[in-house]
Amino acid sequence: MGEEMIKPYGDTLNDGMVQLSFTLPVENSSRAKKAAEIYVSRLNFEDVSVVHARKIADNFTYFVVYARAIPILDYSTVKAPEFKIKPMDFYEINEIIKIKLHRPLTVVGATIGSDAHTVGIDAIINMKGYDQDYGLERYPEINAYNMGAQVPCEELLEKAIDVEADVILISQTVTKKNAHIRNFSEFIKLLEEKNLKSRFLLIAGGPGISNDLALRLGYDAGFGPETRPSQVASFIVTKITEQKSAKRKYDGDPP
Amino acid sequence: MAHIPLNTKQIDRLKQLAKEIADQVQTFISRHSSVSVERTILRLYGVDGVDSERTPLSNKIIDKLKKKSRIKSGVSRFFAGAMLASGRDVQTTAELIDQGKIELDDLSRFSHADILEKEKELAQKAAAALDETRKKKQEKLKKYPSPQQPWRYLIVATGNIYEDRIQAKAAVSAGADVIAVIRSTAQSLLDYVPYGPTTEGFAGTFATQANFKIMRQALDEVSEKEGRYIRLVNYSSGLCMAEIAACAALEDLDILLNDSMYGILFRDINMKRTFIDQYFSRLICSRAKIIINTGEDNYLTTSDAIENAYTVTASQLINEAMAQKALLTADLLGLGHAFEIDPKIENAFLYELAHAQLARQLFPKVPLKYMPPTKYKSTDIFYSHCIDTLFNLASITTEQGIHLAGILTEAIHTPHMQDRYQALCSVNYVFNVARELGKEIEFRKDGFIAKRAQQVLDEVEPFLEKIKEIGLMEAIAQGKFANIRRPVDGGKGLEGVFEKAVDYSNPVMEQLEQEGGIHG
């Protein structure tokens, strides 16, 4: 594998062009603009151009800056776990559950902790779905339970056991002071305490979530902003049918 | 003003239906009270403070009364009796009750007439305190004129009231007319009002009386500097609606989020509790001249903004009817709605204009609260900024009252200082260049917008008829609003609801009801 050196692109390959905007806690003045320029150059930029500076409050100035990034990155060395899941649509997903599992899938979802936002969990589970993509409730082969927001971890787990869930979806919108990380970890801890970690497929979601982060926190997958319900459902059926066939090899289940 | 030809007879029928729905609920409300209503009476009588575990005194006294199984008679007469027994001021009396030095339910020493007299005195002082805040605000409005509507409403949400103060002042200098301090997540589920200035919160700052005071003071300073009156908003939904209304009134707040159904639907608070609490809280708002903001915009975050537009209108009509019962005048009715239609839909903007204009014409005198897009906001902040710009145009064109500025980073984080500045750049630009656009517009009689507005009205009518038939509580139980089902006896806070005994008294409520709404 050869090297693949890359830099941000403005209008010419490897020009390194980046746009930045930020606020400094100083009054707008020539000195403030100079400070913005020096600050950006210390971030490893060159040809720094402070194109806009404006007072937005007493003692605060807002800047728009263009600059060329100095570092160059070898793309061939970059690794990130990506879904190797074939995206399927509503009909394909239902069909696979029917043919391969011979029973409906059960999914329980909630926003845990003090987070009151249901926007993420609603987008994935509620009938309506998101961006013209039906929510899991609409799938005839999926029993979906949306417990809403501010659900304590214990309550979510209880429900999941109660309805014999295959999958638990957890959403966190608030990321302030890393509240989402704490909440996600708390649920994993609870599962570990009860020795139930391997019983469910665990999925994390929210604007502060990447697949990489979710895996590190102990989840099976993580979905970020703009995720469609069918993407989540595709992942779920692929994983669960995989698990089933793996199990069959060991247990000698009849086909 | 922009105008859609609408069927006025039908509008009269809708308002009548909403009134009948509110009448049914009011019959229930008047027979019941709740622990939080009783705590509010104590607060209005002047009880303040917390114990070493930070439990408010008002909670402790009501808990005592509950333990003695006397709550059904209401706290007022017992507290009046305790005042006669102590011969001291309100706060000392409350502390003596808490310390167990005065028995709360021992009324045998005093005549019925003496207790009644004391209750009357306490209630008059409470009403006078509410009159005082109203007059203070009116004085300030003479000194610093009110900005023209739509008012530019910006949120702050750092968790630290002192940091919020910096953010708020910055927003005002960029053009904000209204500052809302977002509450810490889940405060609505606390069955008490936290105490003192706070510097830690989750995605928001605790609503406490001390925090209200700190922010109001900061906004007074900035009103002086900017030469226009800056309004302060907080949130009363939850288990302490009336108590927060009392704290807000005592600290001269201008606007409170106060919906008759929001807590039920979105915070799973018991509906009986919510209906009882909202009524008393709204009576307080009415007397103190606090504008209420209702939460219809939230419906569209869980259900489709076109398909379910009629539920927004129906809820506005019900909120209006219930607010009128609580004596709120039109100038205090910030009925809510939102710009939440999927931008991929062709002519989505025409739908938005139709809905916004319909609200304007149905409630011509109220300061409509117009909520920005949130559901289809992208993490591409530049695209989100474009959506907000069209929202701003819809708002100025249809002459909305309270304009919640859309923020380009809505889908990412609670706003940074520069996010507010950029949001206001767009608001200021659009409001200025299109200031009188609405005055130039008449919508075509058989055009898309007029037809759409009429269609919404046509959907509202059978919906309200159905609600009237089954009752509002049953309608909510069946998931008629926001596609969320809430059982009549489910949710949080039901244990704090009780039926009034024959000897129940709430002289504050009685006085506010008897003296009626304050006009002008």
Side-chain angles (χ1 to χ4, degrees), chain B residues 28-176:
Chain B
F28 171 83
I29 293 169
S30 57
R31 285 194 283 110
H32 294 83
S33 183
S34 78
V35 288
S36 50
V37 166
E38 300 305 313
R39 296 195 301 252
T40 308
I41 297 170
L42 289 179
R43 284 185 186 270
L44 289 172
Y45 283 176
V47 176
D48 194 11
V50 290
D51 70 3
S52 58
E53 280 159 13
R54 305 194 74 74
T55 307
L57 218 46
S58 54
N59 280 66
K60 296 189 81 183
I61 294 175
I62 297 305
D63 287 348
K64 258 183 202 268
L65 200 63
K66 235 186 140 179
K67 273 200 198 102
K68 290 175 186 286
S69 306
R70 302 306 286 268
I71 189 85
K72 283 172 181 279
S73 303
V75 75
S76 175
R77 73 179 60 240
F78 297 113
F79 192 79
M83 289 283 294
L84 292 174
S86 76
R88 294 177 188 275
D89 62 275
V90 167
Q91 185 65 18
T92 312
T93 305
E95 282 163 16
L96 289 170
I97 295 170
D98 182 41
Q99 291 159 20
K101 291 184 178 142
I102 293 179
E103 273 311 310
L104 192 54
D105 60 342
D106 180 17
L107 296 178
S108 56
R109 288 166 55 200
F110 310 102
S111 75
H112 185 62
D114 284 350
I115 289 173
L116 217 64
E117 185 59 34
K118 192 76 197 171
E119 278 193 271
K120 207 171 169 188
E121 181 197 315
L122 288 164
Q124 270 165 358
K125 272 195 197 148
L130 299 177
D131 292 336
E132 179 64 26
T133 172
R134 188 180 69 242
K135 285 174 194 152
K136 251 202 279 181
K137 278 186 280 192
Q138 280 162 347
E139 283 307 309
K140 280 194 249 178
L141 273 162
K142 271 185 215 153
K143 221 166 134 194
Y144 321 115
S146 181
Q148 61 179 325
Q149 292 183 352
W151 295 331
R152 300 150 221 234
Y153 176 120
L154 271 293
I155 60 168
V156 296
T158 68
N160 177 336
I161 191 64
Y162 302 106
E163 202 68 42
D164 283 345
R165 205 165 52 172
I166 299 171
Q167 301 281 320
K169 285 183 170 178
V172 172
S173 70

Side-chain angles (χ1 to χ4, degrees), chain B residues 234-246:
Chain B
N234 215 287
Y235 300 74
S236 69
S237 335
L239 289 166
C240 297
M241 281 185 100
E243 277 185 284
I244 290 185

Side-chain angles (χ1 to χ4, degrees), chain A residues 33-34 36-37 40 48-53 63-66:
Chain A
K33 279 177 227 162
K34 192 73 199 167
E37 186 190 317
V40 171
V48 177
S49 162
V50 177
V51 296
H52 183 79
F63 301 92
V64 177
V65 175
Y66 282 86

Side-chain angles (χ1 to χ4, degrees), chain A residues 19 21-23 52 54 56-58 60 62 114-116 122 126 128 130-132 150 174 176-177 207 225-226, chain B residues 157-158 166 170 173 185-186 189 201 203 225 267 302 304 307 342 344 378-379 382 411 414 417-418 421-422:
Chain A
Q19 58 196 22
S21 63
F22 56 91
T23 302
H52 183 79
R54 198 184 149 107
I56 59 170
D58 284 349
F60 288 98
Y62 171 68
S114 59
D115 192 339
D122 286 346
N126 282 8
K128 174 78 194 165
Y130 177 73
D131 197 26
Q132 320 286 328
Q150 299 180 338
V174 173
K176 198 136 189 151
K177 295 177 185 149
E226 322 234 329
Chain B
T158 68
I166 299 171
S173 70
T185 297
L189 304 181
K225 186 177 162 211
R267 292 291 177 263
T302 55
D304 184 78
E307 265 170 52
D342 185 348
K344 289 212 176 88
S378 167
T379 42
F382 303 105
T414 46
M417 188 187 275
Q418 65 205 30
Y421 161 74
Q422 282 185 316

Side-chain angles (χ1 to χ4, degrees), chain A residues 86-95 133 139 230 233-234:
Chain A
K86 181 181 139 233
M88 291 177 274
D89 69 15
F90 178 81
Y91 302 98
E92 290 172 279
I93 292 165
N94 282 311
E95 198 57 24
D133 195 282
Y139 286 68
S230 64
S234 299

Side-chain angles (χ1 to χ4, degrees), chain B residues 311-332:
Chain B
T311 62
V312 169
T313 307
S315 172
Q316 289 168 336
L317 287 158
I318 294 169
N319 256 316
E320 178 191 46
M322 290 176 74
Q324 284 167 346
K325 300 241 167 263
L327 306 170
L328 284 158
T329 47
D331 58 320
L332 301 178

